[in-house]
Amino acid sequence: MGTLKDTLSLYAGVVRRVGYTLTVGLGNAQERNRLLALYQVYAQPTTLEDPTPDDPHILPKTDILELLKNDEAVYEGVNECGFGHTTEFELKVISNLVRMKQPKRIFEIGTFQGRTTLNMALNSPADAQIVTLDLPGSELDNTQMKIAVGEARYVKKDRSGERFLEHPLRSKIQQVFGDSATFDFSPYKASMDLIFIDASHAYEYVLNDTQKALEMIRPGGIILWHDYTNWEGVRNALNELYQKNPSCRNLRHIGGTSIALLQL
Ligand SMILES: C[S@@+](CC[C@H](N)C(=O)[O-])C[C@H]1O[C@@H](n2cnc3c(N)ncnc32)[C@H](O)[C@@H]1O
């Protein structure tokens, strides 16, 4: 019933805004911008799984226009995506959320090249601090739980965070290293405004990282997960958390992306 209500209100919201935008709104620059944003959402390449009656993605969808107004973020390397990265559109969604919410304390689990880290640094307040945790390549075979098949390529790399290491905003970013299953997150307890979970996609790791994020997030903060529609382990873990963990009942899937979002 909740799902039907969510779906109906999602479509009612879209119809209302599209109707306004295509009539009164066309004369207004701000509304033209919203139209562009709407186009970008629904014109995404269909590499992401499309919903079907048997769609295993049970999280209610949130309308991107409910979250964001215009594309006001700034970017670096937004087109330079590929294996292990967020898509161009996903990076824009995350950057705009950061731009809008202005989080001062951000934690990322899973650095890789640091493309998302850098873009969060570009869009957060000047005095924001971003902590990004990565598994050192040397620890690939020593993780407490099993990482997923196919993930070794993201762990083994010459330089973790190469996108921001020489960047002027480097001072906003603190790199920490370890296995998210054994890393000591206690210094960050209940202090983070925004957390981005994008490390191992194995089911047990997503549950572990979510638990750690729930301990680190402050009331009113936001947790984002990447790859809800791309990795089975992420999907199963988030579906289960949505159904069984009362702290996660507001989990939503951002339409047109693989990102899941929880506003505490
Ligand atoms: C998909 S990449 C992250 C992409 C990055 N967040 C971005 O948006 O560009 C996954 C990263 O998680 C790291 N990782 C994998 N398992 C981990 C673990 N158990 N603890 C910490 N980091 C882990 C990998 O080393 C890799 O850098």
Side-chain angles (χ1 to χ4, degrees):
M1 190 62 195
T3 308
L4 178 64
K5 206 170 136 229
D6 279 332
T7 306
L8 286 176
S9 72
L10 170 69
Y11 285 111
V14 170
V15 167
R16 194 180 65 245
R17 275 185 299 279
V18 170
Y20 177 82
T21 305
L22 289 177
T23 54
V24 183
L26 278 178
N28 172 315
Q30 194 182 2
E31 288 305 321
R32 279 198 302 276
N33 231 337
R34 285 172 76 93
L35 181 63
L36 184 64
L38 187 68
Y39 169 78
Q40 284 175 323
V41 171
Y42 294 104
Q44 283 303 294
T46 52
T47 47
L48 303 176
E49 295 166 38
D50 289 328
T52 68
D54 303 319
D55 191 350
H57 303 107
I58 63 166
L59 297 189
K61 280 213 173 67
T62 182
D63 177 350
I64 194 70
L65 297 182
E66 296 289 350
L67 296 172
L68 306 175
K69 296 188 176 66
N70 299 315
D71 181 359
E72 288 166 349
V74 290
Y75 311 105
E76 275 190 36
V78 72
N79 301 316
E80 297 157 23
C81 30
F83 285 121
H85 292 289
T86 53
T87 65
E88 176 179 344
F89 183 65
E90 288 170 343
L91 189 60
K92 288 186 170 179
V93 168
I94 295 169
S95 301
N96 274 285
L97 272 171
V98 170
R99 191 96 188 164
M100 187 175 73
K101 299 283 182 187
Q102 292 290 283
K104 288 202 172 186
R105 290 178 60 81
I106 299 175
F107 201 109
E108 177 182 43
I109 308 181
T111 312
F112 193 40
Q113 294 181 0
R115 177 169 164 268
T116 305
T117 331
L118 175 59
N119 282 277
M120 293 194 290
L122 284 164
N123 288 288
S124 53
D127 59 347
Q129 272 294 311
I130 304 174
V131 182
T132 182
L133 169 70
D134 212 10
L135 182 68
S138 57
E139 295 304 304
L140 177 62
D141 297 322
N142 300 322
T143 51
Q144 188 172 80
M145 298 179 283
K146 258 176 109 65
I147 65 169
V149 175
E151 289 187 317
R153 70 171 101 167
Y154 310 129
V155 180
K156 286 193 276 183
K157 51 196 174 290
D158 291 339
R159 296 204 306 167
S160 173
E162 64 180 74
R163 304 273 185 132
F164 59 73
L165 288 176
E166 324 293 340
H167 196 278
L169 291 185
R170 171 76 180 91
S171 57
K172 288 175 86 172
I173 300 167
Q174 185 196 358
Q175 262 189 302
V176 290
F177 292 95
D179 174 5
S180 64
T182 52
F183 183 77
D184 179 12
F185 290 93
S186 61
Y188 310 103
K189 196 168 183 218
S191 67
M192 289 293 154
D193 300 310
L194 188 142
I195 297 172
F196 181 44
I197 300 178
D198 189 19
S200 171
H201 305 88
Y203 166 82
E204 288 80 8
Y205 264 108
V206 181
L207 290 183
N208 169 80
D209 296 352
T210 302
Q211 185 52 42
K212 304 294 166 58
L214 288 169
E215 289 164 17
M216 284 195 289
I217 200 76
R218 65 153 175 85
I222 292 181
I223 305 177
L224 301 172
W225 293 256
H226 190 225
D227 288 320
Y228 174 60
T229 53
N230 301 335
W231 285 82
E232 194 181 345
V234 182
R235 184 188 76 209
N236 290 343
L238 293 189
N239 284 352
E240 185 177 306
L241 287 162
Y242 171 66
Q243 289 176 313
K244 297 191 179 156
N245 185 332
S247 305
C248 297
R249 66 175 178 275
N250 290 331
L251 252 171
R252 294 292 180 269
H253 170 204
I254 303 180
T257 76
S258 72
I259 301 169
L261 165 142
L262 178 64
Q263 304 214 44
L264 277 302

